[in-house]
Structures are given as structure tokens and as C-alpha cells.
Amino acid sequence: MTRRDAARNWQHIIDTGRAFLAAQRPLRLNDVAREASIGVATVYRHFPTPEALLETLARPALQDLVAYAERALADDDEWGAFAGFLTVGIDAQLADAAVQPVFAAATHELPETAELVGRLDALTADLLDRVRAAGLIRPGVEHADVVRLMCGVVFAASVHATPAERAALTRRYLDVVLDGLRAR
């Protein structure tokens, strides 16, 4: 197999994995191989576990979130940077079904994913520290609270809502959460 064939197979597996997520189908490698019309061994050679495939699917969005958070740390408007980052994080979860489960996972299959998630976690804490130091967030709000609240916003907007309603509901719920987090 040539490098070009391997790259084409890799991309086809990625595209098929994305289609599975879009259809809310379980990411089973044998099913992905069958749907992609690629040998099971080839799929496993590229992605030894479903988690490795899921993490690979989430990587571009996680990289974008890290880059956004790094830029937000340079923003003079502490609250705007914090709220903007949370908004972008919510949007990433809505746009890419791989982001939330990868971010929420206790462990990661790929070292790059663990590094990205760790960096994202540290940047979130840094943004929270900035709003705390500026006196802009309610006392007692911890990093874990913010992470859980963001997951909760996405979950709340997903339950009993159509895909067309999710974005508006998520923004509405995020506004409520941000209003509750802000110091008076």
C-alpha cells in the first residue's frame, strides 16, 4: 500500500466516523470498516480503539479551543474573555459531537489528546483566576463548578429539544449561568 492509499484510507475512516457521530451511531470500528468499505485490519492499524478514533475526530476542535483560550488570556476585558471562551466551548460541543465525550473522559487513549485536554483545563483555570482576581465572579466558584456547568448547559439544551432548537437554547441557558456566576 502506498502512502497515498494509506492517507486516503485514513481520511475515509475519519469521514465515516464523523458520519457515525452525526447520525448518533455508536462508534464501533468493525461497523466503521464495513461502512467505509475498508478492511477491518486497516481500520485497527490506524485506530486501535474506538476511543482513539473519537479523540482523533475531536482533535481539531480541541486545538481551536486551546488557541482561543490562549488569545482570551491576552484580552484586557477579563469577563468578556471568560464569557467568550465559555461560549466558544459550548459552540464547539454543539458543532462537533466528539468534543464533549473526549473532554469529559477520565483518561485518554492518545498522548496528544491528554496533552490538549490538560492544556485546555489549565487555560480554563487561568481564565477563571483572572475573573476572580478582578472581583468579577461570585466568591466560592471553583474550576470544577465551571466545567460541570458548561457540560450541564449542553446537556440541558439537548434534552427534549430538536437539533434546530439546541443553539438558541444553549445560548439562553449559558446567559442564565453567566448571570448567576457574575459578582454583584
Side-chain angles (χ1 to χ4, degrees):
M1 178 180 299
T2 67
R3 285 184 188 176
R4 185 177 304 182
D5 291 336
R8 188 174 45 248
N9 283 342
W10 185 89
Q11 188 59 55
H12 196 50
I13 295 164
I14 292 293
D15 294 342
T16 303
R18 286 210 182 282
F20 270 60
L21 289 179
Q24 297 180 340
R25 293 173 62 189
L27 206 54
R28 295 187 185 108
L29 296 182
N30 288 1
D31 295 343
V32 169
R34 189 177 337 24
E35 187 101 2
S37 299
I38 292 175
V40 173
T42 299
V43 172
Y44 278 89
R45 196 168 29 258
H46 286 288
F47 303 100
T49 66
E51 293 79 17
L53 176 55
L54 184 68
E55 290 176 21
T56 301
L57 294 171
R59 185 180 307 136
L62 293 173
Q63 290 169 329
D64 289 347
L65 284 171
V66 165
Y68 186 92
E70 288 170 343
R71 287 190 307 275
L73 281 172
D75 192 331
D76 291 336
D77 175 6
E78 293 92 348
W79 184 261
F82 178 71
F85 171 69
L86 296 181
T87 301
V88 168
I90 293 287
D91 290 346
Q93 292 179 63
L94 289 176
D96 188 338
V99 172
Q100 199 278 334
V102 168
F103 190 69
T107 61
H108 298 96
E109 185 77 16
L110 305 174
E112 319 75 77
T113 306
E115 183 179 317
L116 276 170
V117 170
R119 180 77 181 125
L120 194 54
D121 197 47
L123 288 164
T124 303
D126 291 345
L127 288 163
L128 177 60
D129 288 344
R130 286 183 69 220
V131 293
R132 185 180 294 119
L136 300 172
I137 198 160
R138 295 172 79 128
V141 174
E142 299 296 329
H143 176 258
D145 299 328
V146 173
V147 171
R148 289 180 180 127
L149 286 169
M150 293 307 97
C151 291
V153 165
V154 172
F155 179 76
S158 301
V159 175
H160 306 298
T162 67
E165 297 170 318
R166 285 182 76 194
L169 282 174
T170 303
R171 293 297 172 127
R172 190 167 114 210
Y173 297 158
L174 180 59
D175 287 345
V176 170
V177 168
L178 287 170
D179 187 52
L181 289 173
R182 193 154 193 170
R184 302 281 175 230

